Amino acid sequence: MNILWFRRGLRLHDNPALLSAIENSKEFLALYIFDTTFQDAGYKPYHMYGFLLECLNDLNESFQSVGTKLHIFQGCPLEVFRHLRQSHCINKLCFIQDCEPIWHERDNAVKNLCLELDIEVYEHVAHTLWDPMDIIASNGGTPPLTYEMFVHVAMSVGDPPKPAADPEWKGVKFVSIEPFETNRFTLFDGVPTLGAVGVPENPVGCRNRKIIGGETNALKHFEIRLRAEETAFRSGFYQPNQARPDLLGPPLSLSAAISVGAIFYWKIHELFDKVNKGSPPAWLGITGQIIWRDYFYAMSRMNPKFDKEVDNPICLQIPWNENEELFEKWKNGQTGYPFIDAGMRQLNQEGWMHHSVRNAVAMFLTRGDLWLNWDIGAEYMAYQLVDSDWSVNSGNWMWVSSSAFERLLDCSVCINSVLYGKRLEPSGDYIRRYVPELANFEFEYIHEPWKAPIDIQRAANCIIGKDYPTRIVIHEEVLTRNQTWMKDFRRKFKETPAHCQPSSNSETTVSRSNQFGKLNHGSVFWNHYFFKGLEKGIKGFIKLLRCKTC
């Protein structure tokens, strides 16, 4: 029997592990395991798990259409595979590589068990374009410290593989196991509920997610996104989801959707060549955002502290403040800055906010306003986001806080959330949707309600300081303070410390336009598809970041 172990690549298309598991018409079993041993038992985000169960349900329906089912276990993977080996003759175990260090203990333990039980293991690279270890090996045994160096190394490794073929089910012998439960693990009858896997159902304050899980829905969404990209190419610009973000419409992002860029990488190259008739030809730049994603995976591959400031070798140790009260107000959307509060409330209610908004709330927490450590924000956002991704989330937080992937302690460009919000969503309806206390304010005051005269506040049925909080900090004052602190800290270095930073001024310019908008924060299924493009395509978004108060 051959086993296909699903982890993140919850799809039948472009799945080399699936093709390996069904070759030679061996008996075939597909399974997913809710891990209770190697995964943090307390880490069960409502939005992410809801999306995951939708993906599993869609995957199970796809398998049912060809005559089998997805077997969903809960327990220790070692116990599951040991039990299956006792009841079946297992020839090989196939799965898609999880390259992040948080999964190394689990995968090494499973590989050692398979060695003990004489089971062949086939691990396939399909969550990233390149195997991070190939990048590291080609760079002399260390990850490339700059994006420019990463691109150079990636080009020397060669093009990413073309998408895998669709599975051919003829002649495949399916294995079906009836549900059962032991004191060590459980095999569910179908797809479990949230409650069955230990996730509270319907937490207070959560709304229905706008992003629905499953390969079927994702492929439909993918076609919509490709049409949007083609329109942008024909109009002479790139990354429409960033250059012209729509905060009120259905999410155009695919960050919680299709698992890896192989199909997307080649689709977008083909699309670009189609629009431009091969002149100029497609190049890495038009898929730069997914290249950045691979860069973060390479940087985190051998760094288990990538999500923390302390003991993280690529992260500057900035002396951030500690203030639990300010952090709680930021988390709960009670900062007194409507655009920031709208973003955080949308995150808490729906498990999602546009990547342009993520950029604003992250900078507000760190070097822009509150001067709090990036890693507490990264941990909270990772718990809330439906498209959470350990490497990309951590990398973006280090970047936006100037802790890594940025010029040394550069605080020259910071977001003024008032001006930024006005430019991103001029109507104010985004704030009205998620901060209903301010719904009756006219546009003149909705981004700055503290400026409204008291009679305007009364007419809007919202008194600032009573019905909606006063500002927890004054941006203009703390920004000056933060810039001074950054300069003082920078002066302490006699020479630039070894940390990840842009390799050129042009990379710095482009990177600022793409913080948090450049990649997804990953997912259990498909990850983010954005394109870095050229400066021509991002000038509009750069203007959004270069606000008056800097």
Side-chain angles (χ1 to χ4, degrees), residues 72 93 250 279 349 380 391:
I72 302 177
L93 173 66
S279 182
Q349 293 168 14
Y380 183 74
S391 294

Side-chain angles (χ1 to χ4, degrees), residues 26-44:
K26 298 287 187 180
E27 290 186 327
F28 170 77
L29 178 76
L31 61 80
Y32 181 92
I33 304 172
F34 283 96
D35 185 357
T36 59
T37 300
F38 298 101
Q39 188 170 334
D40 181 4
Y43 183 72
K44 293 184 176 179

Side-chain angles (χ1 to χ4, degrees), residues 56-98:
L56 294 176
N57 186 67
D58 184 77
L59 186 60
N60 186 48
E61 290 179 353
S62 295
F63 274 124
Q64 288 175 339
S65 70
V66 297
T68 186
K69 67 178 180 179
L70 178 67
H71 297 76
I72 302 177
F73 293 83
Q74 180 170 252
C76 174
L78 301 180
E79 296 292 345
V80 171
F81 293 127
R82 193 180 295 276
H83 173 85
L84 291 173
R85 180 63 179 83
Q86 292 171 351
S87 57
H88 296 80
C89 178
I90 302 176
N91 298 300
K92 63 181 180 180
L93 173 66
C94 307
F95 52 83
I96 290 175
Q97 179 195 73
D98 276 337

Side-chain angles (χ1 to χ4, degrees), residues 528-540:
H528 196 62
Y529 307 134
F530 286 121
F531 331 109
K532 189 168 185 168
L534 297 173
E535 289 189 37
K536 174 183 178 182
I538 60 175
K539 285 181 179 178

Side-chain angles (χ1 to χ4, degrees), residues 251-299:
L252 187 59
S253 169
L254 289 166
S255 59
I258 304 178
S259 177
V260 56
I263 187 171
F264 182 76
Y265 177 92
W266 291 109
K267 282 276 189 181
I268 198 63
H269 277 238
E270 292 167 4
L271 180 61
F272 187 88
D273 284 337
K274 170 188 171 184
V275 170
N276 292 280
K277 296 181 171 58
S279 182
W283 74 106
L284 277 182
I286 64 170
T287 47
Q289 291 316 307
I290 205 162
I291 310 300
W292 271 99
R293 174 178 173 272
D294 265 51
Y295 173 44
F296 280 153
Y297 276 115
M299 291 307 307

Side-chain angles (χ1 to χ4, degrees), residues 458-479:
R458 289 194 185 103
N461 294 318
C462 181
I463 305 300
I464 305 305
K466 176 185 175 184
D467 304 303
Y468 179 72
T470 56
R471 293 177 289 172
I472 57 176
V473 293
I474 307 302
H475 173 74
E476 293 76 12
E477 296 174 3
V478 295
L479 178 62

Side-chain angles (χ1 to χ4, degrees), residues 142-154:
T142 59
L145 281 179
T146 71
Y147 174 77
E148 187 176 271
M149 188 185 300
F150 175 86
V151 170
H152 176 77
V153 174

